[in-house]
Structures are given as structure tokens and as C-alpha cells.
């Protein structure tokens, strides 16, 4: 970014523009990335007009713009690899309206999902998508995030009704509808969901809300192997129990969680299954079916968490799983896969992935939103252990091939960012030319979050 | 289409190409359209290669291609207004695979949803989107159809995992994933859903299947006004009863249904509410809550249908609603609106729409998938009664304004086609330039179903 550009930004935004070293540095890194690529400047947007003008100035001066919300994405998405402006939307954080009767809320993009949930809870409602980090709704839309609630309520994509998006051509468009469904013209809304800020900047979202489940129980049960646990998860889905959550956590991760949370969960491959029903008696019926299923599937230690406090503890542990592993191996670098396969293929693919890790003697823990067929292998090793990292990447490559051969995807929820562009080429080689065409349509000069998604 | 083009098609396809007058005529009309616009030729595609070659020949010779499946769409979508080739995909009608454990099936685009349901039923599964006509899955994807099941299971969009699509550039791409969710790159799948065959030809679909509900009951209840019935529907949704179906049918339509089906349903504004639960006792609980709610909301005559045969009769009547009205007024022309608004706005908008019809003394019956906020006003009048038709269009225009002002859409499920392009401009005026860009990206010469969607 040249001086003229910086001066134009300064003139327009004054104090909202920062070039302070710690601010630049904080906008040049993420969980996944060893090195820092600071932007030239950070703009803290306070309005849609701020965003529109930033895109206009970027066009005029030819500098890149990389949106930044909470910065919790895991594939290098927020890193401004070509410098330029980091467009921080985290202060666009007002809940604009809540319509309980319409099961919807309209928010600015920097609103986080826990913040929204605190505000809608008094209405008996909640927003069900819950990635482990306290992510923003704009960031979640931009990576199509999910989490533990997706098995029952869908992904962020399924829970966004309408967007306002600022485009590089200077316009702001409304995509989608506040109605629950629409067949009016081309679907532009879904083009922006999962686009990682490379096609436009989301300035407002209308999202779906759901009634809080009435009666809830969590089943915890262990299995001899991750493959057996996955097979049980498939049976639970097949029995139409419609779990609220269905999570797999392997013995290594349970060990880390116990150390981090001070819990004493049995250290074996585990399923955490949340069930809900409209009445206490209906819940008991559902629970009984689930317990029978789990026992048939070879569950060993089986327990339930019933009180709100007990259940909260389980899900807090799940949300801290990533940090728990980091805490256990301080100084290690980490890498997480994010494969997702059709449900009937999950036990095989998971079993083969586990074997590949074992065969290569890699430290790898498995966690997964297995009701969706989605699992993460968390690798870790000292950053300078080149041989281990080479082995990790070899095994990761093989796992991607396995998942794709099973009809799956290289990313269930984290997105592509910097790190998975090669895998995107393997998965969607036949349509990359169309994806490039779409990028050129919205951002002909390649100024929006350059270097991401497309290989 | 010139002689050279016709000869090239004939050389490639032989008997599969037809220029017989009755075939051309059958591909030049639909329910909505008074006049016939026959294509120059009809191709009955038998393979993906047939489709790819048709697009190649279209490019070479510059003739338009309009896909045709069952031809049940209601907005003139299949009418080849510029002639050329009608690409009939109805004989691409094989179910390619069923994966019960993955809750999915892969089909050719001409497979109809009743056909798929007959094949997956033995697995205890079903495909839940059910427009009134026996539509094809490719056609349903192309209009983003819904029907009575969408309130619980979502629209066709929500139930398509993956597509294969033949493009004008000669390539065939795979869009989406067989996994339940994916964040791998730009979402191309949703670009084709609802695109009415104007961006590419769907040659294969992988769709979601759902477990058949275990215990089911239908509640039928009447109300003094459509507005009161709609208010009750909103309460049912608010109470989180998660109905399988939630349909409004007004007194005029019930009258038509009684005449057509030989039933004796009370001729008043009516809700038909289907409830399901995993056990008989849970169903009784849900039913009790629903009945109490309906009575609180002013339900008058309330009845239940419990046996499979009784329930089937109710939904058959609902699916025949359109034809029942046609049968009652033979010779009349018909026009159906398809508005959809956020749920909390439904009673007001519906009430105002009813008043507008009454004030203009129009014959209009109301039916609606009201759990989605979606309703149809079915107008009818003798085709040559110009004054009445002018009044109908005036009232329709006003209703669209009402719905848009309430945050709604001009089409909940039927699509835009020929007839709603003006309404699309009102709803999405701010993004029509982007929609045009998308069209130009996929079909730069405007050969795919020209004249549809874009005003
Ligand atoms: C401990 C931990 C656990 C996690 N668990 C999960 C999980 O279970 N499931 C899951 O899906 N993810 C998970 N994640 C990843 C992360 O939380 C998600 O990717 C989340 O969606 C990122 O949101 P954010 O607000 O942090 O966005 P950021 O990281 O700030 O941005 C993400 C992307 O969106 C773009 N962007 C941000 N705001 C906008 C906007 N307004 N308009 C356009 N583009 C924008 C950015 O440029 C970037 O490309 C986890 C991360 C951590 C650290
Ligand atoms: C009595 C009646 C009741 C109805 N009820 C409902 C209802 O409740 N809900 C609802 O949503 N709709 C309803 N409809 C409308 C209609 O059934 C839907 O629009 C349906 O999706 C059309 O499917 P089709 O197979 O008939 O497609 P067609 O009408 O043949 O085609 C529809 C559109 O898709 C395109 N197309 C078809 N196949 C392909 C392909 N393979 N690739 C690309 N483009 C393709 C065509 O060019 C056209 O633009 C009803 C219609 C009738 C007559």
C-alpha cells in the first residue's frame, strides 16, 4: 500500500485507522500459522458506509482488503498475505432486531453467536451453530461454520436467511429473503456463504432462531475403538433419534480434556450424545432406545448428564478440546484435518485414518461431529521436527484421498483459506474454472482477500 | 433453428429427435399459459453424453435450448419462447443408487419424487418434498420446489447434496458433496438450484432421504376467517410442535375439494396439521398440546385423521386442490400467486390480501403452506373477461408490494419463469446486475432457456 492510499484512508477514517505495530501483528496471524504477515493498516469499521468507502478506496488505489472478525478461523483465512488493509468488522456488533414470532434476528456481522444467544434466550430461543471459538456471525457465514449443533439444526448456511453484502463495484445488495424460503431468481446468498471474504463484505445478516429444547439429557459412553464408536453414531442416526449433538472424542483427547478441565472421564474412545424431547416422559423413551442401541453397539462405560450444570460442563469440555490439547503439548505446532464423508462410510474411513496414524507412529487425536460424518484429526509435533511434519502431511494427503474416494469433502466446516487450496483442486478440479469465473465476476482485480480458496 | 442445425441434430440423435406436431405442441405449453410456443424440435435425452452434445450443437449452430422434464411448472418456465430445441430429460429416469445408511440416493434428473419414494420406502425412508404435481427431481431442483413437507424437512434446495451439471462451455461439473456438509470452496450447487435451466443442465442429483415418521396423526380444524387460521398456524409453529405439515385451505377451496373428491369437509377456513412422534404416547402428548392451542386460537370444528388411509385421503385432497378448483370452473383461466413472508407477518398480510380480493369482488381461493409463511391466492375468471383480469393483476400487484414490505418474497416455491420477471425486478432491483453477470458467466450467448427469470 502506497503513501497516497494510506493518506486517503487516514483522511476518511481518522482514529478508526490503525498502523500501530501490535494491532498490525494481531491482524496478521491465526491459530494455524507459524509466521506473521501484518497488513499495512487496520480499519475498525463502524458502519456499512465505512465498508463501502473502504472498497471504493481499494479500487481507486489498488490495495488488497482482507476482512477480519474474531480471527478464529483455522486455515489462514484472515492473514493478509499480500498486505494492504485488514478490514476489522468486530465493532459492527449490534443486534439490530429480534423477531421471536418470526424465529429470526437481524445482526451486524461482528455480533458473536454467544452474544446473540444471551439476547434471544429470554424469548426461549437460540442460535444453534456453535464453533468452538466465540466466533462472529459474519465470520461463521464466511466459512460456513458448524459445530456440535449442526447435526440437528444444520450449518451456518442453513441458518442464514438474508445477507446485505458490499461489493467491489460499489453497490450494496440484499441476497436471500427474510421469508423462510424463496424461489425468486438466482441464489446469491449462498454464493457469499463460505466465500471467506473473497467475493464481498457481509454488512448485515438475518439468521434463523430455534426454540430451546424442553427436556434434555446427555449420554456419555465409551467404546473399545474409534471405529466402534463411529459405528454406534451411525446407528443412532439410523434410528431417527434426532440427537441434538453427537460427538466423538478419542482417548487422547479425553486425556487432554481431563487434564485441562479437572474432570475424570474414562480415557477411551467416547461418544457424547445429547437427546431432547418435548416432555419428560418422551425423553425417557428416547433415552431408553438410545441406551439400548449403544449397548448393542458395544458401549462399555455408559453414564448420563441430566442437570443443566452437568450438561454445560460436558459441552464446555468439548468446546475446549482444541485448547486442552494445546495445553498438554506446549510449544508444539498443531494441524487439524476437517474431513467429512457420507455417514455410511464414516466407520471405515475413520478406522483407516486411525490405522494410518498408528502405522506412521504419529501423535494424533480424533474428535468429530460424527452425526454429520465430520471428523478432525489433530496432529501435533515440535515445530522444527521436519521428519514428523513430513510424515503428518503424507498421512493427511492419504486421508484426503480416502475421504474423496468415499464421496466426501476435504472440509466439512473450517474452509479452505491458504492451507487447503491443493485439496480443493483435488476435490473440485472439474469446476475450478467456474470458481475462477465467479471470483472474476465479483472481484475482477483480485483485491478481496487475495491468495485464499483458489489454488 | 435452421436446416443445418436440424440436420446435425438428426444425424447425432436419429429417432430420439422429434419434430412431430403433437410432440412439439406438448413441449410448448404449461398450466399457466394460454398460447402455445412450440420448439423447432424435441430431443429425448437418454444419457449425459446426449445432453453434452446437445449443448455443443447449440453453441455451434446458435439455437436456444430449453430443458423440459414433467412440464408441471407454473410460471411458463418450460415454454421455448424463442423456439429452438426442447431438451426433454424425462427419459433420464433411473434411480442410480440408494444408500440407506447414508440417508441418500443418487438419481437421474427425470426421476419423479413419487417414483423415488416407491423405491426407498422398503428401507423405511422417504424424500419429503412433494409439490402437488408428480414432478421430476431435476425440475424440482431447478425451481427450488417445496410443498407440504417443507415446513419440517426444508425445500428441494435443502435436500440436494450434490449435482452433476452440463455447462455451455462443454464441461460437466460436480457441485456440492455427498457428505452432509462441506465448506470446500465456492458453493456452485446452490447457483443451479432455482435457476430454471438457464445456467446449465442437471444430469444427476444426490438427494437426502429421511426416516419415515413412526406415529402420525392429522388434525383438521376450522376457523371463522383465514386470518384466524393463519394466526393459529403461527401459534403452532411458536409452540415448537414441529408439525410434519401445516396447511391452510379456505372455504372456497374446501368447497371445490368436496365436489372433486366426494368428501364432506366443513366448508370454512381450515388448517390441516400433521403431527408425528417416535412413540404412540409421545404422539398423544403432542396432539393434546396442539388441540389445546387450536381451541385457544378459536378453532371451531376439530377432528383427527389417524389411520394411514384417512391421512392419505387428506393429503390426496390437498394435492388435488389446484385441479379441484379447475374442475369447478371449467373453461376459466387461472392465475396463482406464490407469496411468502416471515411467519410473524403472515396473519396480517393474509388478512389484507383477503380484503383486497373481497373489495375488488374477485373470485379467489386461498391455500397455503402456512407453516413456511407461504400462501397461494388462486384467481380464476373466463379468459376473455378483460375487466376482471385487469382487476386481478391490480390486486396481485398490491399483494406483492404488501409481501415485499413485510420482508417477504414474490415466490416461495414456484419460481419466476416468464410471468414474474417484473416482480423479481421489484424484489431484487439492487442485485439484478449481479444476476445478469452470473447468467453471462454460464451462458454468455444467452442460449439456455432464454427469456426466463431476468427481466
Ligand atoms: C478452538 C477453536 C475451535 C473451533 N471449532 C470450530 C468448530 O467446531 N466448527 C467450525 O466450523 N469452526 C471451528 N473453529 C474455526 C472458527 O471458529 C470458524 O472458522 C469461525 O467461523 C470463524 O469466525 P470468526 O468470526 O473468527 O471469523 P474470522 O476468522 O475473523 O474470519 C473468517 C473468514 O471470514 C472472512 N470474514 C470475516 N468477517 C467477514 C464479513 N463480515 N464479510 C466477509 N468476510 C468476512 C475473513 O476474511 C476470513 O476469510 C474453531 C476455531 C478455534 C480456534
Ligand atoms: C397441480 C400442481 C400443483 C403444484 N404444487 C406445487 C407445490 O406445492 N409446490 C411447488 O413448489 N410447486 C408446485 N407445482 C409446480 C411444479 O410442480 C414445480 O414447479 C416442479 O418443480 C416442476 O417440476 P417438473 O419436473 O414438472 O419440471 P418442468 O416444469 O419440466 O421444468 C421446470 C424448470 O426446470 C427446468 N428443468 C427441468 N429439468 C431440468 C434439468 N434436468 N436441468 C436443468 N433445468 C431443468 C425447466 O427448463 C424449467 O425451467 C405444482 C404444479 C401443479 C401443476
Amino acid at each position: 500500500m502506497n503513501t497516497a492510499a494510506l493518506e486517503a484512508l487516514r483522511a476518511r477514517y481518522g482514529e478508526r485507522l490503525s498502523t500501530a505495530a501490535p494491532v498490525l501483528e494481531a491482524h496478521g496471524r491465526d491459530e494455524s500459522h507459524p509466521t506473521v504477515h501484518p497488513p499495512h493498516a487496520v480499519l475498525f469499521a463502524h458502519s456499512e458506509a465505512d465498508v463501502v468507502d473502504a472498497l471504493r478506496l481499494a479500487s481507486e488505489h489498488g490495495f488488497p482488503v482482507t476482512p477480519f472478525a474474531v480471527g478464529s478461523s483455522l486455515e489462514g483465512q484472515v492473514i493478509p498475505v499480500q498486505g494492504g488493509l485488514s478490514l476489522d468488522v468486530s465493532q459492527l456488533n449490534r443486534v439490530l432486531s429480534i423477531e421471536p414470532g418470526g424465529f429470526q434476528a437481524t445482526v451486524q456481522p461482528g455480533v458473536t453467536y454467544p452474544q446473540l444467544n444471551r439476547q434471544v434466550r429470554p424469548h426461549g430461543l437460540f442460535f444453534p451453530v456453535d464453533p468452538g471459538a466465540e466466533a462472529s456471525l459474519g465470520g461463521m457465514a464466511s466459512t460456513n461454520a458448524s459445530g456440535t449443533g449442526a447435526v440437528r439444526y444444520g450449518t451456518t448456511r442453513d441458518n442464514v436467511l438474508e445477507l446485505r453484502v458490499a461489493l467491489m463495484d460499489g453497490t450494496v445488495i440484499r441476497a436471500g429473503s427474510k421469508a423462510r424460503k424463496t424461489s425468486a431468481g438466482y441464489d446469491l446468498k449462498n454464493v457469499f456463504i463460505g466465500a471467506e471474504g473473497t467475493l464481498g463484505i457481509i454488512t448485515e445478516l438475518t439468521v434463523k432462531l430455534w426454540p430451546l429444547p424442553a427436556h434434555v439429557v446427555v449420554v456419555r459412553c465409551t467404546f473399545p475403538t474409534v471405529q466402534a464408536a463411529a459405528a454406534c453414531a451411525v446407528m443412532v442416526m439410523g434410528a431417527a433419534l434426532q440427537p441434538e449433538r453427537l460427538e466423538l472424542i478419542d482417548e487422547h483427547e479425553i486425556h487432554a480434556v481431563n487434564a485441562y478441565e479437572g474432570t475424570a472421564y474414562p480415557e477411551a474412545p467416547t461418544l457424547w450424545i445429547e437427546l431432547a424431547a418435548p416432555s419428560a416422559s418422551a425423553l425417557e423413551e428416547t433415552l431408553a432406545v438410545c441406551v439400548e442401541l449403544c449397548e448393542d453397539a458395544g458401549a462399555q462405560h455408559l453414564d448420563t448428564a441430566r442437570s443443566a450444570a452437568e450438561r454445560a460442563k460436558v459441552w464446555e469440555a468439548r468446546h475446549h478440546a482444541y485448547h486442552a490439547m494445546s495445553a498438554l503439548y506446549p510449544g508444539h505446532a498443531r494441524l487439524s484435518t476437517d474431513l467429512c464423508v457420507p455417514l455410511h462410510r464414516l466407520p471405515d474411513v475413520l478406522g483407516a485414518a486411525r490405522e494410518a496414524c498408528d502405522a506412521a507412529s504419529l501423535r494424533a487425536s480424533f474428535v468429530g461431529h460424527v452425526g454429520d460424518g465430520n471428523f478432525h484429526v489433530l496432529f501435533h509435533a515440535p515445530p522444527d521436527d521436519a521428519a514428523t511434519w513430513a510424515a503428518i502431511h503424507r498421512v493427511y494427503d492419504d486421508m484426503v484421498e480416502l475421504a474423496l474416494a468415499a464421496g466426501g469433502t476435504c472440509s466439512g466446516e473450517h474452509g479452505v483459506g491458504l492451507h487447503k487450496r491443493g485439496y480443493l483442486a483435488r476435490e473440485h478440479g472439474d469446476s475450478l474454472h467456474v470458481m475462477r469465473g465467479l471470483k472474476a465476476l465479483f472481484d475482477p482485480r483480485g483485491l478481496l482477500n487475495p491468495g485464499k480458496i483458489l489454488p
Side-chain angles (χ1 to χ4, degrees), chain A:
Chain A
M1 190 187 293
N2 60 25
T3 327
L6 212 54
E7 273 169 13
L9 284 165
R10 180 79 66 201
R12 168 66 179 79
Y13 297 107
E15 295 284 287
R16 296 207 292 295
L17 193 82
S18 175
T19 49
V23 173
L24 298 184
E25 182 174 324
H27 288 77
R29 58 158 81 241
D30 76 359
E31 271 293 324
S32 75
H33 220 60
T35 51
V36 178
H37 289 266
H40 291 102
V42 176
L43 168 64
F44 293 93
H46 283 189
S47 67
E48 187 175 89
D50 280 357
V51 172
V52 171
D53 287 348
L55 298 188
R56 181 178 48 77
L57 290 170
S59 283
E60 279 172 25
H61 294 272
F63 59 80
V65 175
T66 300
F68 186 104
V70 168
S72 73
S73 47
L74 293 170
E75 297 293 345
Q77 281 101 335
V78 294
I79 298 177
V81 281
Q82 299 182 13
L85 185 70
S86 179
L87 177 49
D88 187 314
V89 296
S90 64
Q91 296 176 16
L92 284 169
N93 61 358
R94 280 186 304 130
V95 174
L96 299 171
S97 70
I98 299 171
E99 290 294 351
F103 294 92
Q104 58 186 238
T106 299
V107 301
Q108 291 187 318
V111 169
T112 67
Y113 78 86
Q115 176 192 351
L116 178 61
N117 275 330
R118 282 190 296 274
Q119 294 203 32
V120 301
R121 201 186 162 82
H123 299 286
L125 299 172
F126 79 122
F127 181 78
V129 192
D130 64 335
E134 302 221 336
S136 73
L137 290 160
M140 289 165 64
S142 299
T143 59
N144 188 26
S146 40
T148 68
V151 64
R152 172 73 182 77
Y153 300 97
T155 66
T156 305
R157 183 184 302 290
D158 302 314
N159 285 283
V160 171
L161 291 165
E162 192 181 65
L163 296 175
R164 281 180 68 86
V165 189
L167 301 182
M168 280 313 286
D169 68 6
T171 61
V172 179
I173 65 169
R174 205 173 42 79
S177 171
K178 289 191 170 66
R180 277 168 63 109
K181 64 184 194 188
T182 175
S183 290
Y186 298 136
D187 178 0
L188 298 181
K189 180 193 78 183
N190 282 302
V191 166
F192 298 102
I193 295 182
E196 303 183 3
T198 63
L199 303 180
I201 315 285
I202 298 169
T203 57
E204 195 177 297
L205 307 90
T206 298
V207 298
K208 286 190 201 171
L209 303 173
W210 296 78
L212 283 161
H215 297 265
V216 186
V217 65
V218 176
V219 178
R220 292 192 277 112
C221 53
T222 64
F223 295 85
T225 62
V226 287
Q227 194 167 357
C232 180
V234 173
M235 284 171 66
V236 169
M237 294 301 290
L241 294 176
Q242 291 178 29
E244 298 280 304
R245 289 158 153 154
L246 179 41
E247 296 289 313
L248 174 114
I249 307 173
D250 82 353
E251 62 276 26
H252 308 299
E253 188 62 50
I254 293 273
H255 176 67
V257 160
N258 282 340
Y260 193 76
E261 305 277 326
T263 45
Y265 299 125
E267 295 186 0
T270 297
L271 288 183
W272 287 345
I273 311 170
E274 185 165 273
L275 302 169
S279 73
S281 59
L283 184 64
E284 292 314 311
E285 289 180 357
T286 304
L287 175 60
V289 175
C290 182
V291 167
E292 200 184 315
L293 258 175
C294 292
E295 284 170 349
D296 280 358
Q300 294 168 326
H301 188 281
L302 191 149
D303 216 340
T304 57
R306 286 182 176 269
S307 73
E310 275 177 292
R311 288 185 277 115
K313 206 168 144 186
V314 170
W315 298 122
E316 197 178 86
R318 174 62 188 88
H319 280 122
H320 292 170
Y322 190 91
H323 296 307
M325 196 45 92
S326 315
L328 203 59
Y329 297 94
H332 276 204
R334 288 170 301 280
L335 177 69
S336 170
T337 74
D338 176 32
L339 303 173
C340 189
V341 296
L343 215 49
H344 61 294
R345 300 301 310 275
L346 181 70
D348 281 0
V349 172
L350 234 162
R354 172 92 265 173
E355 271 174 35
C357 293
D358 292 348
S361 308
L362 292 176
R363 288 200 185 93
S365 61
F366 282 57
V367 297
H369 311 303
V370 283
D372 289 328
N374 182 203
F375 67 97
H376 307 299
V377 183
L378 289 169
F379 297 106
H380 59 94
D384 53 5
D385 179 351
T388 302
W389 282 105
I392 287 173
H393 284 289
R394 232 171 11 247
V395 169
Y396 188 178
D397 284 2
D398 291 347
M399 279 185 200
V400 172
E401 289 305 327
L402 266 176
L404 296 185
T409 175
C410 69
S411 178
E413 54 178 20
H414 293 165
V416 177
L418 284 176
H419 307 313
K420 283 201 296 235
R421 289 172 298 159
Y423 295 145
L424 185 74
R426 288 203 216 164
E427 182 171 341
H428 285 300
D430 60 343
S431 65
L432 282 179
H433 66 294
V434 182
M435 294 194 191
R436 282 190 221 287
L438 207 58
K439 171 72 175 173
L441 178 63
F442 287 96
D443 180 23
R445 294 168 61 200
L447 297 176
L448 272 175
N449 205 359
K452 311 302 161 58
I453 298 186
L454 290 170

